[in-house]
Amino acid sequence: MEGMKTLKIAAVALLVLAVAAVSGIGRPEGAQSAGDDPGEGITVTGIGRVETVPDEAEFSLGVTTKAATARGALSANANQMREVIAALKAAGVAERDIQTRDVNVGPDYDGDAHPDEYVASNTVSVLVRELNRAGAVLDAAARAGANNVYGPSLTRSNRESLEAKALADAVASARARAKALADAAGVELGRVTAIDETPPAFEGGPMRAASAATTPIEEGTQEIEATVSVTFAIE
């Protein structure tokens, strides 16, 4: 009898534990809100723009020479480029703002397998930090023998701070858009859970330019744009 009573008590205890497991009694649960679910939130795109006037110009200046031999073409090219660099420095361009980009020499074929002559080229990039002097710098380089001119690429000396301002405006724009969506949906906007910047598009490319007696360089205006994608939690 005593053994049967013990067996019944054990069976009842097991039944109670099973009911508790199914109903969730005694099981701890963490508090959750809708915003904690990584699948919920509001994702929007914000755009910030800053308009500015360029104050710097960058050019690529090149010298191309020809000769009967590769050595002759390269030697003539080196002499000519030295004159161009000297003219750039005399026009006020600092040495640190002149950088060699590439030097090439090769055969120049004219319809058959044997080269008629050899062509050498040398290209330097030049940064003009005072935009109003860009035309005079180009003229000086052309007079010294630069026969390839590409540019200008106009920019701002404080571009990084302007980009930061555009990014801040883009985030503010994203928050305003998300707030409008949250209000329309009747929910509260929570904290930022993700943010991603879209790389800015390439702003044009170099243009081939012809040198003149007085080369006009008009700065115009330039727009710096930033685009971000921001995800906000919902509370």
Side-chain angles (χ1 to χ4, degrees):
M1 292 292 291
E2 187 68 32
M4 291 182 63
K5 184 182 293 186
T6 302
L7 184 60
K8 286 181 179 180
I9 292 173
V12 171
L14 288 173
L15 180 61
V16 171
L17 289 174
V19 171
V22 172
S23 62
I25 297 174
R27 183 176 62 199
E29 293 237 4
Q32 288 188 336
S33 68
D36 293 329
D37 186 348
E40 294 185 2
I42 299 176
T43 300
V44 293
T45 298
I47 299 176
R49 297 184 177 90
V50 176
E51 189 173 277
T52 184
V53 177
D55 61 358
E56 293 182 342
E58 186 170 0
F59 297 87
S60 289
L61 304 178
V63 171
T64 299
T65 53
K66 295 183 179 183
T69 64
R71 181 187 294 272
L74 197 57
S75 177
N77 191 278
N79 291 333
Q80 196 68 54
M81 181 52 81
R82 275 192 286 269
E83 293 185 18
V84 170
I85 292 174
L88 290 172
K89 293 177 179 179
V93 180
E95 185 174 353
R96 65 189 175 97
D97 294 329
I98 305 171
Q99 185 177 45
T100 298
R101 288 301 184 187
D102 58 76
V103 179
N104 293 292
V105 61
D108 185 21
Y109 295 99
D110 188 18
D112 55 38
H114 300 287
D116 291 342
E117 55 189 349
Y118 288 82
V119 180
S121 64
N122 189 333
T123 303
V124 296
S125 65
V126 179
L127 177 62
V128 181
R129 296 182 184 272
E130 298 178 35
L131 190 55
N132 60 350
R133 293 191 49 78
V137 169
L138 284 182
D139 296 341
R143 286 193 297 269
N147 48 26
N148 291 297
V149 180
Y150 298 90
S153 175
L154 303 181
T155 187
R156 284 286 305 187
S157 54
N158 62 336
R159 184 177 179 86
E160 287 187 0
S161 63
L162 295 175
E163 288 176 344
K165 174 66 166 58
L167 281 171
D169 289 350
V171 173
S173 170
R175 184 176 292 277
R177 292 171 65 86
K179 181 67 166 57
L181 287 172
D183 290 346
V187 296
E188 291 293 326
L189 198 64
R191 64 186 180 86
V192 173
T193 60
I195 187 167
D196 183 57
E197 179 194 3
T198 301
F202 180 69
E203 297 181 0
M207 303 180 300
R208 188 178 183 89
S211 180
T214 302
T215 303
I217 304 294
E218 298 294 331
E219 70 271 13
T221 59
Q222 188 177 69
E223 189 175 78
I224 296 175
E225 181 177 295
T227 303
V228 295
S229 176
V230 186
T231 300
F232 296 86
I234 296 175
E235 296 182 346

Coordinates of all heavy atoms in Angstrom, one line a residue, residues 76-143:
A76 N 64.1 65.1 -75.4 CA 63.5 66.4 -75.8 C 62.3 66.7 -74.8 O 62.1 67.8 -74.4 CB 63.0 66.3 -77.2
N77 N 61.6 65.6 -74.5 CA 60.4 65.8 -73.6 C 60.8 66.2 -72.2 O 60.2 67.1 -71.6 CB 59.7 64.4 -73.5 CG 58.3 64.6 -72.8 OD1 58.2 64.6 -71.6 ND2 57.3 64.7 -73.7
A78 N 61.9 65.7 -71.7 CA 62.4 66.0 -70.4 C 62.8 67.5 -70.3 O 62.5 68.2 -69.4 CB 63.5 65.1 -70.0
N79 N 63.5 67.9 -71.4 CA 63.9 69.4 -71.4 C 62.7 70.3 -71.5 O 62.7 71.3 -70.8 CB 64.8 69.6 -72.7 CG 66.2 68.9 -72.5 OD1 66.6 68.6 -71.4 ND2 66.8 68.5 -73.7
Q80 N 61.7 69.9 -72.3 CA 60.5 70.7 -72.4 C 59.7 70.8 -71.1 O 59.2 71.9 -70.7 CB 59.6 70.2 -73.6 CG 58.6 71.2 -74.0 CD 59.3 72.4 -74.8 OE1 60.0 72.2 -75.7 NE2 58.9 73.6 -74.3
M81 N 59.6 69.6 -70.5 CA 58.8 69.6 -69.2 C 59.5 70.4 -68.1 O 58.9 71.0 -67.3 CB 58.6 68.2 -68.8 CG 57.8 68.0 -67.5 SD 56.2 69.0 -67.5 CE 55.1 67.8 -68.4
R82 N 60.8 70.4 -68.1 CA 61.6 71.2 -67.1 C 61.2 72.7 -67.3 O 61.1 73.4 -66.3 CB 63.1 70.9 -67.2 CG 63.5 69.7 -66.4 CD 65.1 69.7 -66.3 NE 65.7 69.3 -67.6 CZ 66.0 68.1 -67.9 NH1 65.7 67.1 -67.1 NH2 66.6 67.8 -69.1
E83 N 61.1 73.1 -68.5 CA 60.8 74.5 -68.8 C 59.3 74.8 -68.3 O 59.0 75.9 -67.8 CB 60.9 74.8 -70.3 CG 62.4 74.8 -70.7 CD 62.5 75.2 -72.2 OE1 61.5 75.9 -72.7 OE2 63.5 75.0 -72.8
V84 N 58.4 73.8 -68.5 CA 57.0 74.0 -68.1 C 57.0 74.1 -66.6 O 56.3 75.0 -66.0 CB 56.1 72.9 -68.6 CG1 54.8 72.9 -68.0 CG2 56.0 72.9 -70.1
I85 N 57.6 73.2 -65.9 CA 57.6 73.3 -64.4 C 58.2 74.6 -63.9 O 57.7 75.2 -62.9 CB 58.4 72.0 -63.9 CG1 57.6 70.8 -64.2 CG2 58.6 72.2 -62.4 CD1 58.3 69.5 -63.8
A86 N 59.3 75.0 -64.5 CA 59.9 76.3 -64.1 C 58.9 77.4 -64.3 O 58.8 78.3 -63.5 CB 61.2 76.5 -64.9
A87 N 58.2 77.4 -65.4 CA 57.2 78.5 -65.7 C 56.1 78.4 -64.7 O 55.6 79.5 -64.2 CB 56.7 78.3 -67.1
L88 N 55.6 77.2 -64.3 CA 54.6 77.1 -63.3 C 55.0 77.7 -62.0 O 54.2 78.4 -61.3 CB 54.2 75.6 -63.1 CG 53.5 74.9 -64.3 CD1 53.4 73.4 -64.0 CD2 52.1 75.6 -64.5
K89 N 56.2 77.4 -61.5 CA 56.7 77.9 -60.3 C 56.9 79.5 -60.4 O 56.6 80.2 -59.4 CB 58.1 77.3 -59.9 CG 58.0 75.8 -59.6 CD 59.3 75.2 -59.3 CE 59.2 73.7 -59.0 NZ 60.6 73.1 -58.7
A90 N 57.3 79.9 -61.5 CA 57.5 81.4 -61.7 C 56.1 82.1 -61.6 O 56.0 83.3 -61.3 CB 58.2 81.7 -63.0
A91 N 55.0 81.3 -62.0 CA 53.7 81.9 -62.0 C 53.0 81.8 -60.7 O 51.9 82.2 -60.5 CB 52.8 81.2 -63.1
G92 N 53.8 81.3 -59.7 CA 53.3 81.3 -58.3 C 52.8 80.0 -57.8 O 52.2 79.9 -56.7
V93 N 52.9 78.9 -58.6 CA 52.5 77.6 -58.1 C 53.6 77.0 -57.2 O 54.7 76.9 -57.6 CB 52.2 76.6 -59.3 CG1 51.7 75.2 -58.8 CG2 51.1 77.2 -60.2
A94 N 53.2 76.5 -56.0 CA 54.2 76.0 -55.1 C 54.6 74.6 -55.6 O 53.9 73.9 -56.3 CB 53.5 75.8 -53.7
E95 N 55.9 74.2 -55.2 CA 56.4 73.0 -55.6 C 55.6 71.8 -55.2 O 55.4 70.8 -55.9 CB 57.8 72.8 -55.1 CG 58.6 71.6 -55.6 CD 60.0 71.6 -55.1 OE1 60.5 72.6 -54.6 OE2 60.7 70.5 -55.4
R96 N 55.0 71.9 -54.0 CA 54.2 70.8 -53.4 C 52.9 70.6 -54.2 O 52.2 69.6 -54.1 CB 53.8 71.1 -52.0 CG 53.0 72.3 -51.7 CD 52.9 72.6 -50.2 NE 52.1 73.8 -50.0 CZ 50.8 73.9 -49.7 NH1 50.2 72.8 -49.5 NH2 50.2 75.0 -49.4
D97 N 52.5 71.6 -55.0 CA 51.3 71.5 -55.8 C 51.5 71.1 -57.3 O 50.6 71.1 -58.1 CB 50.5 72.9 -55.8 CG 50.1 73.3 -54.4 OD1 49.7 72.3 -53.6 OD2 50.0 74.5 -54.1
I98 N 52.7 70.6 -57.5 CA 53.0 70.1 -58.9 C 53.5 68.6 -58.7 O 54.4 68.3 -57.9 CB 54.2 70.9 -59.5 CG1 53.8 72.3 -59.6 CG2 54.4 70.3 -60.9 CD1 55.0 73.2 -60.1
Q99 N 52.8 67.7 -59.4 CA 53.0 66.3 -59.2 C 53.0 65.5 -60.5 O 52.1 65.7 -61.3 CB 52.0 65.6 -58.2 CG 52.3 64.2 -57.9 CD 51.3 63.6 -56.9 OE1 50.1 63.8 -57.0 NE2 51.8 62.9 -55.9
T100 N 54.1 64.8 -60.8 CA 54.2 64.0 -62.0 C 53.1 62.9 -61.9 O 53.0 62.1 -60.9 CB 55.6 63.4 -62.2 OG1 56.5 64.5 -62.3 CG2 55.6 62.5 -63.4
R101 N 52.4 62.7 -63.0 CA 51.3 61.6 -63.1 C 51.8 60.4 -63.9 O 51.7 59.3 -63.5 CB 50.1 62.2 -63.7 CG 49.3 63.1 -62.8 CD 48.9 62.5 -61.5 NE 48.1 63.3 -60.6 CZ 47.8 63.0 -59.4 NH1 48.2 61.9 -58.9 NH2 47.1 63.8 -58.7
D102 N 52.4 60.7 -65.1 CA 52.9 59.6 -65.9 C 53.9 60.1 -66.9 O 53.8 61.2 -67.3 CB 51.7 58.8 -66.6 CG 50.9 59.7 -67.5 OD1 51.4 60.1 -68.6 OD2 49.8 60.1 -67.1
V103 N 54.8 59.2 -67.3 CA 55.8 59.4 -68.3 C 55.8 58.2 -69.2 O 55.8 57.1 -68.8 CB 57.2 59.6 -67.7 CG1 58.2 59.8 -68.8 CG2 57.2 60.7 -66.7
N104 N 55.6 58.4 -70.5 CA 55.5 57.4 -71.5 C 56.4 57.7 -72.7 O 56.5 58.8 -73.1 CB 54.1 57.2 -72.0 CG 53.2 56.7 -70.9 OD1 53.3 55.6 -70.4 ND2 52.2 57.5 -70.4
V105 N 56.9 56.6 -73.3 CA 57.6 56.7 -74.6 C 57.3 55.5 -75.4 O 57.3 54.3 -74.8 CB 59.1 56.9 -74.4 CG1 59.8 55.8 -73.7 CG2 59.8 57.2 -75.8
G106 N 57.1 55.6 -76.7 CA 56.8 54.4 -77.5 C 56.8 54.8 -79.0 O 56.9 55.9 -79.4
P107 N 56.8 53.7 -79.8 CA 56.9 53.9 -81.3 C 55.6 54.6 -81.8 O 54.5 54.3 -81.3 CB 57.1 52.5 -81.8 CG 56.5 51.6 -80.8 CD 56.7 52.3 -79.4
D108 N 55.7 55.3 -82.9 CA 54.6 55.9 -83.6 C 54.5 55.3 -84.9 O 55.3 55.6 -85.8 CB 54.8 57.4 -83.6 CG 53.6 58.1 -84.3 OD1 52.5 57.5 -84.2 OD2 53.7 59.3 -84.8
Y109 N 53.6 54.4 -85.1 CA 53.5 53.7 -86.4 C 52.6 54.4 -87.4 O 51.7 55.1 -87.0 CB 52.8 52.3 -86.1 CG 53.7 51.4 -85.3 CD1 53.4 51.2 -83.9 CD2 54.7 50.7 -85.8 CE1 54.2 50.4 -83.1 CE2 55.5 49.8 -85.0 CZ 55.2 49.7 -83.7 OH 56.0 48.9 -82.9
D110 N 53.0 54.3 -88.7 CA 52.2 55.0 -89.7 C 51.9 54.0 -90.8 O 52.4 54.0 -91.9 CB 53.1 56.1 -90.3 CG 52.3 57.0 -91.3 OD1 51.0 56.9 -91.2 OD2 52.9 57.7 -92.1
G111 N 51.0 53.0 -90.4 CA 50.5 52.1 -91.4 C 51.3 50.9 -91.8 O 51.0 50.1 -92.6
D112 N 52.5 50.7 -91.1 CA 53.3 49.5 -91.4 C 53.9 49.1 -90.1 O 53.6 49.6 -89.0 CB 54.4 49.8 -92.4 CG 55.3 51.0 -92.0 OD1 55.6 51.1 -90.8 OD2 55.7 51.7 -92.9
A113 N 54.6 48.0 -90.1 CA 55.1 47.4 -88.9 C 56.4 48.1 -88.3 O 56.8 47.8 -87.2 CB 55.5 45.9 -89.2
H114 N 56.9 49.0 -89.0 CA 58.1 49.7 -88.6 C 57.7 51.2 -88.1 O 57.1 51.9 -88.9 CB 59.1 49.8 -89.7 CG 59.6 48.4 -90.1 ND1 60.3 47.6 -89.4 CD2 59.2 47.7 -91.3 CE1 60.5 46.5 -90.0 NE2 59.9 46.5 -91.2
P115 N 58.1 51.6 -86.9 CA 57.8 52.9 -86.5 C 58.5 54.0 -87.3 O 59.7 53.8 -87.6 CB 58.3 52.9 -85.0 CG 59.3 51.9 -85.0 CD 58.9 50.8 -86.0
D116 N 57.8 55.0 -87.6 CA 58.4 56.2 -88.3 C 59.2 57.0 -87.4 O 60.3 57.6 -87.7 CB 57.4 57.0 -89.0 CG 56.7 56.3 -90.2 OD1 57.3 55.3 -90.7 OD2 55.6 56.7 -90.5
E117 N 58.7 57.1 -86.1 CA 59.4 57.9 -85.1 C 58.9 57.4 -83.7 O 58.0 56.6 -83.7 CB 59.2 59.4 -85.3 CG 57.8 59.8 -85.4 CD 57.6 61.2 -85.8 OE1 58.6 62.0 -85.8 OE2 56.5 61.7 -86.1
Y118 N 59.4 58.1 -82.7 CA 59.0 57.7 -81.3 C 58.3 58.9 -80.7 O 58.7 60.1 -80.9 CB 60.2 57.2 -80.5 CG 60.6 55.9 -80.9 CD1 61.5 55.7 -82.0 CD2 60.2 54.7 -80.2 CE1 61.9 54.5 -82.4 CE2 60.7 53.5 -80.6 CZ 61.5 53.3 -81.7 OH 61.9 52.1 -82.1
V119 N 57.3 58.6 -79.8 CA 56.6 59.7 -79.1 C 56.8 59.5 -77.6 O 56.6 58.4 -77.1 CB 55.1 59.6 -79.5 CG1 54.3 60.7 -78.7 CG2 54.8 59.7 -81.0
A120 N 57.1 60.6 -77.0 CA 57.2 60.7 -75.5 C 56.2 61.7 -75.0 O 56.0 62.7 -75.6 CB 58.7 61.0 -75.1
S121 N 55.7 61.3 -73.8 CA 54.8 62.2 -73.1 C 55.0 62.2 -71.6 O 55.5 61.2 -71.1 CB 53.3 61.8 -73.4 OG 53.0 60.5 -72.8
N122 N 54.8 63.4 -71.0 CA 54.9 63.6 -69.6 C 53.8 64.4 -69.1 O 53.5 65.5 -69.7 CB 56.3 64.2 -69.3 CG 56.6 64.3 -67.8 OD1 55.7 64.3 -67.0 ND2 57.9 64.3 -67.5
T123 N 53.1 64.0 -68.1 CA 51.9 64.7 -67.6 C 52.1 65.0 -66.1 O 52.5 64.1 -65.3 CB 50.6 63.9 -67.8 OG1 50.5 63.6 -69.2 CG2 49.4 64.7 -67.3
V124 N 51.8 66.2 -65.7 CA 51.8 66.6 -64.3 C 50.4 67.2 -63.9 O 49.7 67.7 -64.7 CB 52.9 67.7 -64.0 CG1 54.3 67.1 -64.3 CG2 52.7 69.0 -64.8
S125 N 50.1 66.9 -62.7 CA 48.9 67.6 -62.1 C 49.3 68.9 -61.4 O 50.3 68.9 -60.7 CB 48.1 66.7 -61.2 OG 48.9 66.4 -60.0
V126 N 48.5 69.9 -61.6 CA 48.8 71.2 -61.0 C 47.6 71.7 -60.2 O 46.5 71.8 -60.7 CB 49.2 72.2 -62.1 CG1 49.5 73.6 -61.5 CG2 50.4 71.7 -62.9
L127 N 47.8 72.1 -58.9 CA 46.8 72.6 -58.1 C 47.0 74.1 -58.0 O 48.1 74.6 -57.5 CB 46.8 72.0 -56.7 CG 45.8 72.5 -55.7 CD1 44.3 72.3 -56.2 CD2 45.9 71.9 -54.4
V128 N 46.1 74.9 -58.4 CA 46.1 76.4 -58.3 C 45.2 76.7 -57.1 O 44.0 76.6 -57.2 CB 45.7 77.0 -59.6 CG1 45.8 78.6 -59.5 CG2 46.5 76.5 -60.8
R129 N 45.8 77.2 -56.1 CA 45.1 77.5 -54.9 C 44.4 78.9 -54.9 O 43.5 79.1 -54.0 CB 46.0 77.4 -53.6 CG 46.5 76.0 -53.4 CD 47.4 75.9 -52.2 NE 48.0 74.5 -52.1 CZ 47.4 73.5 -51.5 NH1 46.2 73.7 -50.9 NH2 48.0 72.3 -51.4
E130 N 44.7 79.7 -55.8 CA 44.1 81.0 -56.0 C 43.4 81.0 -57.3 O 44.1 81.1 -58.4 CB 45.0 82.2 -55.9 CG 45.7 82.3 -54.5 CD 46.7 83.4 -54.5 OE1 46.5 84.4 -55.1 OE2 47.8 83.2 -53.8
L131 N 42.1 80.7 -57.3 CA 41.4 80.5 -58.6 C 41.5 81.6 -59.6 O 41.6 81.4 -60.8 CB 39.9 80.2 -58.3 CG 39.1 79.7 -59.5 CD1 39.7 78.4 -60.1 CD2 37.6 79.4 -59.0
N132 N 41.6 82.8 -59.1 CA 41.7 84.0 -60.0 C 43.0 84.0 -60.7 O 43.2 84.8 -61.6 CB 41.5 85.3 -59.2 CG 42.5 85.5 -58.1 OD1 43.3 84.6 -57.8 ND2 42.5 86.7 -57.6
R133 N 44.0 83.2 -60.3 CA 45.3 83.1 -61.0 C 45.4 81.9 -62.0 O 46.4 81.7 -62.6 CB 46.4 83.0 -60.0 CG 46.6 84.3 -59.2 CD 47.9 84.2 -58.4 NE 49.0 83.8 -59.3 CZ 49.7 84.7 -60.1 NH1 49.2 85.9 -60.2 NH2 50.7 84.3 -60.8
A134 N 44.3 81.1 -62.1 CA 44.3 79.9 -62.9 C 44.6 80.2 -64.4 O 45.4 79.5 -65.0 CB 43.0 79.2 -62.7
G135 N 44.0 81.2 -64.9 CA 44.2 81.6 -66.3 C 45.6 81.9 -66.6 O 46.2 81.5 -67.6
A136 N 46.2 82.8 -65.7 CA 47.6 83.2 -65.9 C 48.5 82.0 -65.8 O 49.5 81.9 -66.6 CB 48.0 84.2 -64.9
V137 N 48.2 81.1 -64.9 CA 49.1 79.9 -64.8 C 49.0 79.0 -66.1 O 50.1 78.5 -66.6 CB 48.6 79.0 -63.6 CG1 49.3 77.7 -63.6 CG2 48.9 79.8 -62.3
L138 N 47.8 78.8 -66.6 CA 47.7 78.1 -67.9 C 48.5 78.7 -69.0 O 49.1 78.1 -69.8 CB 46.2 77.9 -68.3 CG 45.4 76.9 -67.5 CD1 44.0 76.9 -68.0 CD2 46.0 75.5 -67.5
D139 N 48.3 80.0 -69.1 CA 49.0 80.8 -70.2 C 50.5 80.6 -70.1 O 51.2 80.4 -71.1 CB 48.7 82.2 -70.1 CG 47.2 82.5 -70.4 OD1 46.5 81.5 -71.0 OD2 46.6 83.5 -70.0
A140 N 51.1 80.7 -68.8 CA 52.5 80.5 -68.6 C 53.0 79.1 -69.0 O 54.0 79.0 -69.7 CB 52.8 80.8 -67.2
A141 N 52.2 78.1 -68.7 CA 52.5 76.8 -69.0 C 52.5 76.5 -70.5 O 53.4 75.9 -71.1 CB 51.6 75.8 -68.3
A142 N 51.5 77.1 -71.2 CA 51.4 77.0 -72.7 C 52.6 77.6 -73.4 O 53.2 77.1 -74.3 CB 50.1 77.5 -73.2
R143 N 53.0 78.8 -72.9 CA 54.1 79.5 -73.5 C 55.4 78.8 -73.3 O 56.3 78.8 -74.1 CB 54.2 80.9 -72.9 CG 53.2 81.9 -73.4 CD 53.5 83.3 -73.0 NE 53.6 83.5 -71.6 CZ 52.6 83.9 -70.8 NH1 51.4 84.1 -71.4 NH2 52.7 84.1 -69.5

